[in-house]
């Protein structure tokens, strides 16, 4: 299993920062810290924690689960969850496997049952520790993970539906798909995408993890590349079948769009950013699909964008100019962070003058092409330090009005236009 998933090492940094040990007291802020003696831990997981300096009162909690061969510190280094926590004030838990494979247990009977033992119990103890220590908001606890961590995200939402509000799984498989009874951690049939069930059968596997539970179920966001050769693409469709059934919504998308080139996003049960199920398919992308900026999209799905400090009016400045010809124009836009905190992941909102339609752009993805437009950061320019700027632009057709947009919002908050 380690050999199969080893390519993830190329995609995510494994350099572990020093970790400060902590037990019962609140951990230091703005540093990755190992917490010990956090509660029941039958599979000897390690707990790493990141608490931002600006942690909010009653913070939300994100559990960020690593891939096979990874670790909590590697997940800390290789994703932007800690930087997002600095911006929005939530706490991040990074569980870390100690077994030889460095893979999470998503296959044993113990793992696939609420309170059954193994890794889910240890992760639940970590959440309980954070809830006690920081008076965390129990209505805002979320799980996300990559590969093995994505599979564990499915498992956690199945085992503990009363704990989690939502999850985001990057390159995973449905709850119960990897189940084995011989002690093996690997299920080739599932990995190869040959395990199929009806939506009801998949849903029953989830419901069977917590028999008798009739409460609210967590929402699920799913990501998968069409060229995934490790956990093959049919698993994406099976996950959709499972979670739409669990959440009681139809199999037909309520909305379909293309938020970035090569991406197809379908939403089930509603059309908004917090639909019951959201699924993003990445054309031509393999198993190592996670890139910078995706965590910000998961954060939007979680509904955490307004849970902590965000750029305030006057904390951003936008300069926009156009150069026009008979029926077209080129626009140059500069976004400056005039605040005192780093912006990690951004969406710039503006309205095009009537008659303008964007034909292509750079520095961001633009959707839709006319009317009220949202420009979402590219992988290389998503961070804007205080007093720093990023420059983006687009080309557009026009029918006579070649002016630049007059007003802008950054992450939903008005900017000064100049």
């Amino acid at each position: 299993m380690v050999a199969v998933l080893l390519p993830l090492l190329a995609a995510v940094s494994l350099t572990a920062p020093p970790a400060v040990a902590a037990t019962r007291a609140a951990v230091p802020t703005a540093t990755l810290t190992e917490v010990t003696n956090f509660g029941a831990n039958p599979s000897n997981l390690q707990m790493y924690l990141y608490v931002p300096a600006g942690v909010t009162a009653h913070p939300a909690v994100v559990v960020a689960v690593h891939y096979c061969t990874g670790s909590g510190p590697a997940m800390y280094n290789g994703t932007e969850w800690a930087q997002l926590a600095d911006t929005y004030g939530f706490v991040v838990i990074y569980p870390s496997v100690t077994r030889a494979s460095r893979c999470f247990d998503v296959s044993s009977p113990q793992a696939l049952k609420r309170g059954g033992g193994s890794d889910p119990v240890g992760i639940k103890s970590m959440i309980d520790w954070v809830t006690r220590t920081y008076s965390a908001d129990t209505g805002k606890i979320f799980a996300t993970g990559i590969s093995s961590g994505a599979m564990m995200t499915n498992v956690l939402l199945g085992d503990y539906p009363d704990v989690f509000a939502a999850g985001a799984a990057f390159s995973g498989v449905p709850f119960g798909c990897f189940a084995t009874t011989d002690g093996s951690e690997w299920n080739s049939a599932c990995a190869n995408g040959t395990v199929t069930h009806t939506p009801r059968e998949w849903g029953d596997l989830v419901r069977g993890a917590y028999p008798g539970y009739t409460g609210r179920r967590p929402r699920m966001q799913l990501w998968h590349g069409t060229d995934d050769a490790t956990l093959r693409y049919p698993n994406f469709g099976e996950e959709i079948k499972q979670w739409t059934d669990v959440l009681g919504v139809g199999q037909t998308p309520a909305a379909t769009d293309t938020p970035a080139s090569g991406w197809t996003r379908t939403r089930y049960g509603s059309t908004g950013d917090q639909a019951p199920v959201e699924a993003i398919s990445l054309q031509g992308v393999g198993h190592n699909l996670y890139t910078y900026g995706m965590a910000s999209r998961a954060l939007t799905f979680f509904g955490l964008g307004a849970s902590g400090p965000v750029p305030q009016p006057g904390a951003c400045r936008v300069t926009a100019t156009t150069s026009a010809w008979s029926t077209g124009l080129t626009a140059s836009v500069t976004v400056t962070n005039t605040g005192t905190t780093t912006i990690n992941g951004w969406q710039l909102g503006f309205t095009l003058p009537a008659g303008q339609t964007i034909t292509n752009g750079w520095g961001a993805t633009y959707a839709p092409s006319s009317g009220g437009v949202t420009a979402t950061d590219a992988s290389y320019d998503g961070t804007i330090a205080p007093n720093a700027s990023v420059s983006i632009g687009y080309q557009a057709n026009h029918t006579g009005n070649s002016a630049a947009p007059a007003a802008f919002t950054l992450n939903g908050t008005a900017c000064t236009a100049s």
Side-chain angles (χ1 to χ4, degrees):
M1 186 174 185
V2 172
V4 173
L5 294 180
L6 191 59
L8 276 169
L9 294 174
V12 183
S13 168
L14 291 179
T15 303
V20 181
T23 52
R24 296 179 182 84
V27 302
T29 58
T31 185
L32 186 68
T33 304
E34 183 177 4
V35 176
T36 59
N37 300 326
F38 51 83
N41 185 22
S43 54
N44 196 33
L45 297 178
Q46 291 175 286
M47 175 184 175
Y48 292 91
L49 191 66
Y50 184 81
V51 180
V55 62
T56 60
H58 309 297
V61 179
V62 173
V63 181
V65 193
H66 68 74
Y67 44 88
C68 273
T69 74
S71 67
M75 193 72 174
Y76 166 83
N77 274 325
T79 65
E80 65 269 36
W81 284 108
Q83 291 89 341
L84 290 170
D86 287 336
T87 300
Y88 295 106
F90 58 84
V91 175
V92 190
I93 299 171
Y94 298 94
S96 196
V97 169
T98 58
R99 64 176 61 86
S101 68
R102 309 294 291 184
C103 299
F104 284 91
D105 176 13
V106 296
S107 56
S108 75
Q110 292 79 19
L112 298 174
K113 180 181 179 182
R114 178 186 178 85
S118 197
D119 297 346
V121 168
I123 294 172
K124 173 62 162 55
S125 295
M126 298 176 194
I127 295 168
D128 291 343
W129 189 94
V130 170
T131 299
R132 292 192 304 269
T133 304
Y134 292 95
S135 299
D137 186 341
T138 57
K140 293 183 178 179
I141 297 174
F142 305 90
T144 186
I146 302 170
S147 189
S148 179
M151 293 191 273
M152 178 51 72
T153 297
N154 278 266
V155 169
L156 289 171
L157 268 61
D159 285 358
Y160 296 101
D162 54 330
V163 172
F164 294 95
F170 295 84
S171 302
V173 303
F175 177 100
C177 185
F178 243 60
T180 60
T181 56
D182 60 0
S184 172
E185 296 179 40
W186 187 255
N187 185 318
S188 294
C190 178
N192 290 331
T194 62
V195 176
T196 62
H197 291 294
T198 66
R200 181 59 180 271
E201 289 169 343
W202 278 124
D204 285 345
L205 289 176
V206 172
R207 288 182 284 269
Y210 187 4
Y213 178 73
T214 59
R216 176 199 55 82
R217 293 279 178 174
R219 297 176 298 109
M220 177 63 95
Q221 183 186 65
L222 305 165
W223 299 71
H224 221 103
T226 61
D227 289 356
D228 193 328
T230 302
L231 300 173
R232 294 189 179 272
Y233 188 66
N235 283 300
F236 180 60
E238 300 301 303
E239 284 180 298
I240 294 172
K241 287 159 62 175
Q242 182 171 69
W243 290 104
T244 51
D245 181 80
V246 168
L247 286 155
V249 298
Q251 301 285 300
T252 302
T256 301
D257 65 357
T258 305
S261 177
W263 294 17
T264 300
R265 176 171 61 188
T266 49
R267 287 169 167 167
Y268 302 82
S270 71
T271 61
D273 287 340
Q274 283 86 54
V277 178
E278 180 174 278
I280 302 97
S281 172
L282 282 68
Q283 182 64 39
V285 175
H287 190 60
N288 300 335
L289 66 76
Y290 182 87
T291 60
Y292 185 91
M294 290 181 177
S296 293
R297 293 180 181 272
L299 196 76
T300 298
F301 178 76
F302 292 166
L304 288 184
S307 66
V310 296
Q312 297 300 310
C316 50
R317 182 177 67 252
V318 179
T319 302
T321 59
T322 60
S323 176
W325 59 95
S326 58
T327 60
L329 63 89
T330 298
S332 298
V333 181
T334 300
V335 182
T336 302
N337 178 6
T338 57
T340 59
T341 60
T342 297
I343 297 171
N344 291 288
W346 51 264
Q347 290 186 319
L348 183 71
F350 55 90
T351 299
L352 289 173
Q356 292 187 14
T357 303
I358 293 175
T359 56
N360 63 77
W362 52 92
T365 57
Y366 299 82
S369 60
S370 62
V373 176
T374 298
T376 302
D377 64 84
S379 60
Y380 53 83
D381 64 2
T383 299
I384 314 176
N387 299 315
S389 302
V390 296
S391 294
I392 63 175
Y394 57 86
Q395 287 186 325
N397 296 328
H398 70 83
T399 58
N401 186 346
S402 60
F408 298 86
T409 61
L410 187 66
N411 292 346
T413 303
C415 295
T416 301
S418 62

